[in-house]
Amino acid sequence: MAGTVVLGIESSCDETGAGLVRDGRLLGQALASSMDEHARFGGVVPEIAARAHLEAFTPVVREALDRAGLWPADVGAVAVTTGPGLSGALQVGLAGAKTLAHSLGVPLYGVHHLAGHVAADTLEHGPLPDPCVVLIVSGGHTSLLLVRDLARDPVVHLGDTLDDAAGECFDKAARLFGLPYPGGPAIDRAAREGDPGAVAFPRPLTGPRDDPYAFSFSGLKTAAARWAERYRAPGERPPLADGAASLQEAVADVLTRKAVAACREHGVGTLVVVGGVAANSRVRALAEERCRAAGIALRVPPLRLCTDNGAMIAAVGDLLVRAGAAPAPLDLSADPSAPLEYAALHPVGRAAPALV
């Protein structure tokens, strides 16, 4: 229904997000991250993330409402990430969203996390063209999708990650290089002073006999490890700026090459690049360069909407509400490994034990 204010809740990993959207317009959002608590472990610790969500949930929702200039009674629907993600983290967000929807007497919608990344772009650039090719590049996912009506139609997978996603490759390579967590931003910063052609890192799955739209970055991660070891074995310091720039170039090359090829093959005139790794400066620049050369329109959300946030989940909820989609059942559960088939994700089953 047009005019409905949708509150979106995101808690799939280490960010607690809340956002409010009405008729495709972002009214306000707030975000709390537990990133600093995970940094000393070199990656996200599920138990720490879940407990951080418990502490942040209510303050984040209140802050989002305050920034939007709204009261809880103004909310007409609640949307929440129900998968994929960390089980405990998802359970916290889902329990909070159910409580809000029940207390406010409004419908609840379960949302697929990756559909949220796709919908994030609509908050900046308006409705998605039908069809469009979407490249999702995040910490745990790299996918090429053919998207039509996100609220109504199934999502067509052109290619997905076979092993390590691009974000995982950055995180693991950064650790090997001695750079801090999270690895993506650290690699991007270090690469500014480096030569992207200094190291001949491989371009995985780009040969004529390979699956044209599948992704595999584990071999690239291994190549980065061997490169760093060649210097460290004799006690030398690797030229980290060159290594970072060359690794970043290899990832950006593979991602944008496949994405543009998919647009050409399917006769699609718009490429949408979303997800946390869409914030990478070289991925954005190379995508723009190659899309311009191919006559393809490129859409990339602003940096604040690339990483996990509640606004993107509210954006999906807003699309579902306006499309007249059925709300979730009361026994909605989380699905930590849910495949992306539709934007709405309403799994039903026995909920995981509550955290104490």
Side-chain angles (χ1 to χ4, degrees), residues 162-334:
L162 300 179
D163 41 55
D164 282 8
E168 291 175 287
C169 179
F170 278 147
D171 283 340
K172 292 173 181 176
R175 187 184 308 174
L176 294 166
F177 290 176
L179 295 172
Y181 177 85
I187 291 284
D188 202 349
R189 288 191 299 269
R192 293 171 191 165
E193 305 299 323
D195 175 6
V199 186
F201 284 131
R203 269 54 171 172
L205 291 186
T206 53
R209 298 182 181 179
D210 293 327
D211 186 333
Y213 304 126
F215 297 96
S216 168
F217 291 102
S218 64
L220 180 56
K221 173 197 67 181
T222 301
R226 289 175 176 167
W227 172 80
E229 185 58 29
R230 281 201 302 270
Y231 286 91
R232 292 209 170 97
E236 300 175 18
R237 180 181 175 83
L240 293 181
D242 285 347
S246 298
L247 178 75
Q248 180 173 263
E249 187 69 18
V251 171
D253 181 21
V254 172
L255 293 174
T256 58
R257 186 189 308 189
K258 288 175 179 275
V260 169
C263 290
R264 283 173 168 159
E265 180 178 339
H266 292 274
V268 174
T270 301
L271 171 65
V272 184
V273 183
V274 298
V277 180
N280 179 271
S281 63
R282 185 53 184 158
V283 170
R284 296 169 82 96
L286 192 54
E288 184 176 348
E289 176 186 322
R290 287 181 166 169
C291 283
R292 188 186 306 114
I296 297 168
L298 175 66
R299 293 176 37 155
V300 186
L303 297 181
R304 73 182 188 281
L305 294 176
C306 285
T307 52
D308 295 351
N309 60 83
M312 70 186 199
I313 304 305
V316 178
D318 174 63
L319 291 174
L320 294 172
V321 168
R322 287 190 282 151
L330 293 178
D331 53 351
L332 174 69
S333 62

Side-chain angles (χ1 to χ4, degrees), residues 17 26 33 40 42 53 61 78 99 145 175 186 210 217 234 254 280 308 314:
L26 177 60
S33 175
R40 63 194 179 102
H53 289 307
V61 171
V78 177
T99 301
L145 312 171
R175 187 184 308 174
D210 293 327
F217 291 102
V254 172
N280 179 271
D308 295 351

